[in-house]
Amino acid sequence: MATSVRNPRTVRPRGTRSPLASFGLHATLAVASVIAVFPVLWVLLTSLKPANQAMTTDFVKEPTFANYEHLLDDTHFLDWFGNSVLVAGVTTVLGVFIAATTGYAVSRFKFPGMRPLMWTLLITQMFPMAILIVPLYNLMGDMGLLNQPLGLIITYLTIAVPFCAWMMKGFFDTIPVEIDESGRVDGLNPFGTFWRLILPLAKPGLAVTGFYSFITAWGEVAYASAFMVGEENLTLAGGLQTFVTQYTSNWGAMTAASVLIAVPAAVFFVFAQRHLVAGMTAGATKG
């Protein structure tokens, strides 16, 4: 029986792309990269423009740092920055600790009310932020925490901890239970096992938890604007709103502040990024 033989040049190994498909893929990635980078680049360029050129579409003709000087010398930016560092730092530390201990407890131990606890954490994520502003405002007012950093910290923890606890539970589920058993054999109590043996293995999950908690507190606007009054008490997100009024907009100062606000978040991301993908993947594999 005669058999047909294909031209070897028409048979492409599995997993390879044609030149046209490769070109289309790279062109799409290039366009997507430009779209993603352009707004950030434009903000940076606008922050270097003189005030009378802030709204023009021209690139920087006369670069100046006057907007940054005005921001640092004539506004409460440094106060806002300090308030944000305090709130975001404490939120990150407490958020990581609470989420890690909660996730570990639910992953390793069986106790009454465990399922209702996890469902409660999940359900709290379903409510839009706008709905929670009024009840949280009333609660903070009754406790005397309005216009206090502690009030914002507690509020941000209610946002970050439920999601992070679920994620950390999924991550701890991937760590073998035999490690806990070896810790108990060596005489460690449950917290000692968690602190000395499990946490060092959970760095990717902790990185994701810390990054999410930090970003939640660093860039949040609604609660910060509702709970904090007085320019010296505002966080960075609330302070940006002072540059836009009903009649005027100080785009130079706003773009300069946006650039400086992005720097800590970028630095945090650089240090955490090598753990982020592994942590998010591991946390999503089991639940």
Side-chain angles (χ1 to χ4, degrees):
M1 180 181 295
T3 58
S4 61
V5 179
R6 292 184 179 181
N7 188 338
R9 289 178 297 179
T10 64
V11 179
R12 186 176 296 108
R14 185 183 300 272
T16 61
R17 304 186 186 92
S18 66
L20 182 60
S22 181
F23 173 79
L25 176 62
H26 285 82
T28 301
L29 292 175
V31 172
S33 299
V34 171
I35 293 175
V37 172
F38 179 78
V40 179
L41 179 61
W42 193 258
V43 169
L44 176 61
L45 294 177
T46 302
S47 71
L48 298 175
K49 293 180 180 180
N52 59 350
Q53 299 179 14
M55 295 301 295
T56 63
T57 57
D58 299 329
F59 282 92
V60 182
K61 294 181 179 180
E62 302 173 1
T64 176
F65 289 99
N67 292 321
Y68 292 91
E69 294 174 359
H70 166 69
L71 179 70
L72 297 176
D73 296 338
D74 303 328
T75 71
H76 289 275
F77 179 82
L78 294 179
D79 293 329
W80 307 337
F81 191 89
N83 294 336
S84 290
V85 169
L86 173 63
V87 172
V90 176
T91 300
T92 300
V93 173
L94 292 180
V96 169
F97 180 77
I98 296 174
T101 51
T102 302
Y104 179 75
V106 175
S107 174
R108 290 297 195 264
F109 306 110
K110 305 298 181 182
F111 53 89
M114 182 185 71
R115 284 188 175 274
L117 171 64
M118 296 307 293
W119 277 109
T120 300
L121 295 178
L122 181 62
I123 291 173
T124 58
Q125 300 295 293
M126 300 180 182
F127 291 95
M129 184 179 297
I131 295 178
L132 300 176
I133 289 180
V134 174
L136 284 174
Y137 184 91
N138 292 333
L139 286 173
M140 295 302 162
D142 293 339
M143 293 187 293
L145 295 177
L146 289 178
N147 213 34
Q148 299 290 333
L150 181 58
L152 275 184
I153 292 170
I154 295 175
T155 301
Y156 293 149
L157 287 175
T158 64
I159 301 173
V161 167
F163 170 79
C164 293
W166 264 99
M167 189 198 64
M168 290 303 299
K169 176 193 178 300
F171 188 87
F172 287 130
D173 286 344
T174 65
I175 299 178
V177 180
E178 289 76 12
I179 296 178
D180 302 66
E181 295 173 352
S182 65
R184 288 194 290 270
V185 170
D186 292 338
L188 295 176
N189 58 29
F191 185 80
T193 302
F194 165 75
W195 187 260
R196 298 180 61 179
L197 300 182
I198 304 301
L199 273 190
L201 301 176
K203 288 182 180 179
L206 297 176
V208 178
T209 300
F211 185 73
Y212 181 80
S213 301
F214 179 82
I215 293 300
T216 296
W218 187 256
E220 198 280 326
V221 178
Y223 293 122
S225 301
F227 295 174
M228 309 296 281
V229 296
E231 287 200 20
E232 69 279 0
N233 296 321
L234 297 177
T235 59
L236 288 169
L240 280 179
Q241 299 184 37
T242 63
F243 297 128
V244 179
T245 66
Q246 184 177 358
Y247 304 103
T248 61
S249 299
N250 190 344
W251 293 109
M254 179 180 291
T255 53
S258 300
V259 172
L260 296 180
I261 290 172
V263 171
V267 171
F268 196 101
F269 175 80
V270 168
F271 282 102
Q273 60 88 23
R274 66 192 184 98
H275 295 300
L276 290 180
V277 174
M280 295 182 70
T281 303
T285 55
K286 296 180 68 175

